Amino acid sequence: CDILGLKDYKRRIENRIARRYGKEGIESLSKLVDLKNKKVLDVGSGCGEFIFEAVLKGAKGYGVEPEKEGLEISKLLFKIHKKKVTLKQSFAEDLPFEDNTFDVIISNSTIEHVRDPEKALKEMVRVLKPKGVIWLKCPNFIYPLERHYKKFYIPLLPNWIQQKYFNFVSGKKSKYYYSLNEITPFFVLKFLR
């Protein structure tokens, strides 16, 4: 279902099937940290493409995803390719792991979707080992291109104006923009300090 009115949704589905985003992301992460034999947690693992690519690089893979459908797709991906991973249904704000468990945490386009971004970040820091790495990627909501709708807009206007604008330019009636947390680099840096 294309709730955002994106014209290229078929190409996007093909990219997901080919795991293009996961391959590119893990390739970038691998330039920063060697994943071999590292315990890697993917927070908001979705259909599993990022944690799958990390496992192919030698990581011990773990994923958490709140949506059952994404977990089922992940499990199928790992089963087909006969790779081992631990997947759990959970929210980012309540990670089901002990303190200081992971060497690397991946959070790709997740933090803007959680109920409480600050609590989710606290949980990631809690389960990260000392000197571990958090690879956090999300849209910057002060940049004038909204990454979900793929449309230019004026950042920092009230949400109701943004939603009306996106409904107009996409030709779709939704309340999707209301569900997003407007995360900026300043928020993340302030929290991490």
Side-chain angles (χ1 to χ4, degrees):
C1 176
D2 179 26
I3 63 169
L4 302 180
L6 301 174
K7 304 296 182 216
D8 66 342
Y9 73 93
K10 288 181 183 176
R11 180 185 57 81
R12 297 167 143 278
I13 291 169
E14 290 167 2
N15 285 337
R16 289 289 182 183
I17 291 169
R19 300 187 317 274
R20 183 178 145 239
Y21 304 116
K23 288 176 183 174
E24 290 173 359
I26 296 304
E27 203 54 48
S28 294
L29 176 58
S30 294
K31 291 175 184 173
L32 302 172
V33 63
D34 181 11
L35 297 175
K36 191 168 179 74
N37 297 318
K38 298 283 193 320
K39 285 181 85 171
V40 178
L41 172 64
D42 187 356
V43 176
S45 57
C47 297
E49 65 184 285
F50 280 82
I51 196 61
F52 182 80
E53 296 300 327
V55 167
L56 291 182
K57 294 275 189 189
K60 297 172 191 164
Y62 297 78
V64 293
E65 170 60 38
E67 301 203 10
K68 186 178 178 183
E69 295 81 9
L71 280 176
E72 293 304 317
I73 293 169
S74 293
K75 289 176 183 175
L76 185 59
L77 173 65
F78 280 92
K79 183 178 179 181
I80 289 169
H81 293 280
K82 297 180 172 80
K83 299 289 181 188
K84 187 178 177 192
V85 69
T86 300
L87 299 169
K88 297 187 178 196
Q89 188 170 9
S90 179
F91 290 95
E93 298 91 339
D94 189 27
L95 297 175
F97 302 104
E98 298 292 322
D99 295 359
N100 307 316
T101 300
F102 298 99
D103 300 294
V104 178
I105 295 177
I106 299 166
S107 177
N108 183 66
S109 294
T110 299
I111 198 78
E112 74 270 21
H113 297 284
V114 301
R115 290 173 293 182
D116 185 340
E118 192 169 310
K119 189 171 181 189
L121 286 170
K122 282 180 184 176
E123 278 292 278
M124 287 184 228
V125 170
R126 179 185 67 77
V127 300
L128 186 68
K129 289 180 181 176
K131 299 191 181 186
V133 173
I134 295 178
W135 189 73
L136 178 72
K137 186 176 176 189
C138 70
N140 176 357
F141 278 86
I142 58 173
Y143 186 74
L145 176 68
E146 205 293 316
R147 303 298 300 166
H148 298 86
Y149 286 93
K150 309 292 187 237
K151 302 286 184 197
F152 286 99
Y153 77 124
I154 301 171
L156 306 176
L157 290 175
N159 285 359
W160 68 271
I161 293 174
Q162 302 292 22
Q163 187 62 71
K164 283 186 178 283
Y165 166 74
F166 288 123
N167 286 350
F168 175 75
V169 297
S170 69
K172 299 277 185 170
K173 192 127 171 112
S174 82
K175 294 183 179 183
Y176 185 77
Y177 193 83
Y178 289 120
S179 73
L180 300 173
N181 297 305
E182 297 175 327
I183 302 296
T184 67
F186 309 110
F187 166 81
V188 175
L189 291 172
K190 181 181 174 188
F191 171 79
L192 291 176
R193 283 191 185 119

